[in-house]
Amino acid sequence: MSSIPKLLIAAGIVLILVGLLWALAGRFLPLGRLPGDIAIEKENVKFYFPVVTCIVISVVLSLVMYVIRLFFK
């Protein structure tokens, strides 16, 4: 089997695992509702920008990619 199908299968498995983890962890971790997330609600307008949630996700993904690069060097 060539490398592209293997990569697509691995990416699919990773996405499924991330989705399951997100669904289970969403009950315990308030991602999207952290202090520092911007939420403005007016009469007919709702604006929401999860600033702190984006930063947390970015840091976690950076650490994961760093660890992956260490193991696959």
Side-chain angles (χ1 to χ4, degrees):
M1 189 182 305
S2 69
S3 63
I4 297 293
K6 289 180 184 178
L7 179 66
L8 290 174
I9 291 170
I13 291 171
V14 168
L15 285 174
I16 289 171
L17 291 175
V18 167
L20 290 172
L21 181 65
W22 193 304
L24 294 174
R27 296 179 185 166
F28 306 109
L29 298 174
L31 287 179
R33 298 179 304 274
L34 294 175
D37 289 346
I38 298 171
I40 300 172
E41 294 186 24
K42 300 270 181 162
E43 295 171 3
N44 295 328
V45 178
K46 291 182 181 180
F47 176 76
Y48 182 72
F49 186 68
V51 177
V52 176
T53 301
C54 290
I55 293 170
V56 168
I57 291 173
S58 175
V59 168
V60 168
L61 288 176
S62 295
L63 290 173
V64 167
M65 295 308 287
Y66 176 75
V67 169
I68 288 173
R69 266 189 262 147
L70 285 178
F71 284 117
F72 291 106
K73 234 178 185 182

